[in-house]
Amino acid sequence: MIPAPEIEKILFTEEQIQARIQELGTEISESYAGREIKLISVLKGSIFFLTALTRAISIPVKMDFLAISSFGSSRAAPGVVRISKDLDESIEGEDVLLVEDIIDTGLTVRYLLHTLAGRQPNSIAVCTFLDKTPRRLVQVPVRFRCFEIPDRFVVGFGLDHNQLYRNLPYVAVMKP
Ligand code: 5GP
C-alpha cells in the first residue's frame, strides 16, 4: 500500500506485524496452556490488534470490551481516565489479558489494571501491540509485547490521529 502523504516513514510493514503477532499468539497459548483466557480490549484502537491476535491463539478465548475517555493531555489532570463503557460481563475467577494498542506514559494501563484487579480475576496480565518505553512515567508490568518503539507519534493498525489512519495496514511515523 502506498503511504499517505502525511506519513514520514513506515516502522513496521503488514508482513512484519503479521509474523510478530503469530509469534506472540504462540507465546500466549503456551503460557496459558490448558486454560481459557479472557481478552479485554480497550476501544477503539486495540481492536485491530485484538482480532489479529485471537486468530494466532490456539487455546479457548473469550473477549470483552471497555472504552475510556482520556484526559491525559490535560495539564490539570495528567493521566486521568474514566471508563465510558464498562465490560459486559464479570471477570471474577477468570484469567484476564488486558490487550492494549500502545503504552506510552503507562498511566492508562496502571489505572485499568488497578480497576480490573479489584474485580477478583484469577490472574491479570498486560499484552500490548506497541510499547513506547522511552516515555514511561510509571512502571507497569508488560507481560507480552509485539514491538518496542521510539518516542515518535505513530499511526496505523488501529492507531489514529484525529480518528483517521486506523485502517492503514502498517504502523507509520507521522510527519511532524
Ligand atoms: P498512556 O500515556 O496512558 O500510556 O497512553 C495513553 C494513550 O495515548 C494510548 O492508549 C493512545 O491512545 C495514546 N497514544 C500514545 N502514544 C501514541 C501514538 O504514538 N500514536 C497514537 N495514535 N496514540 C498514542
Side-chain angles (χ1 to χ4, degrees), residues 87-136:
L87 300 173
D88 289 333
E89 288 156 11
S90 159
I91 54 169
E92 193 177 337
E94 306 229 46
D95 291 307
V96 170
L97 196 54
L98 180 61
V99 178
E100 271 283 6
D101 51 359
I102 186 164
I103 303 178
D104 185 16
T105 61
L107 290 165
T108 307
V109 167
R110 185 177 68 167
Y111 168 80
L112 290 175
L113 269 181
H114 178 76
T115 303
L116 295 174
R119 301 182 186 186
Q120 280 80 47
N122 183 51
S123 69
I124 184 158
V126 176
C127 173
T128 190
F129 177 51
L130 302 177
D131 196 349
K132 207 189 274 188
T133 43
R135 290 253 311 158
R136 199 61 42 83

Side-chain angles (χ1 to χ4, degrees), residues 7-63:
I7 297 304
E8 181 180 301
K9 62 173 178 187
I10 293 179
L11 268 190
F12 305 111
T13 65
E14 193 172 359
E15 292 73 26
Q16 288 172 321
I17 293 170
Q18 197 45 51
R20 182 67 191 113
I21 290 179
Q22 206 57 46
E23 286 176 1
L24 201 65
T26 304
E27 205 185 311
I28 291 170
S29 307
E30 286 171 0
S31 295
Y32 291 89
R35 288 143 83 186
E36 181 186 277
I37 46 173
K38 176 167 275 186
L39 304 179
I40 291 184
S41 159
V42 184
L43 298 170
K44 305 165 191 164
S46 64
I47 58 171
F48 292 73
F49 175 47
L50 177 84
T51 53
L53 184 65
T54 49
R55 288 196 296 266
I57 293 176
S58 55
I59 58 167
V61 296
K62 292 183 190 166
M63 279 179 255

Side-chain angles (χ1 to χ4, degrees), residues 64-171:
D64 206 345
F65 300 90
L66 52 79
I68 53 174
S69 307
S70 180
F71 306 103
S73 56
S74 153
R75 285 207 193 138
V80 173
V81 296
R82 178 179 65 87
I83 293 182
S84 54
K85 181 231 170 282
D86 208 337
L87 300 173
D88 289 333
E89 288 156 11
S90 159
I91 54 169
E92 193 177 337
E94 306 229 46
D95 291 307
V96 170
L97 196 54
L98 180 61
V99 178
E100 271 283 6
D101 51 359
I102 186 164
I103 303 178
D104 185 16
T105 61
L107 290 165
T108 307
V109 167
R110 185 177 68 167
Y111 168 80
L112 290 175
L113 269 181
H114 178 76
T115 303
L116 295 174
R119 301 182 186 186
Q120 280 80 47
N122 183 51
S123 69
I124 184 158
V126 176
C127 173
T128 190
F129 177 51
L130 302 177
D131 196 349
K132 207 189 274 188
T133 43
R135 290 253 311 158
R136 199 61 42 83
L137 287 180
V138 292
Q139 289 311 309
V140 284
V142 179
R143 174 110 177 255
F144 306 98
R145 83 161 64 80
C146 265
F147 301 109
E148 283 196 61
I149 62 163
D151 182 9
R152 296 294 308 273
F153 191 82
V154 296
V155 293
F157 208 78
L159 289 146
D160 76 306
H161 175 61
N162 294 336
Q163 298 301 328
L164 289 172
Y165 307 108
R166 292 192 197 278
N167 60 326
L168 296 179
Y170 47 80
V171 171

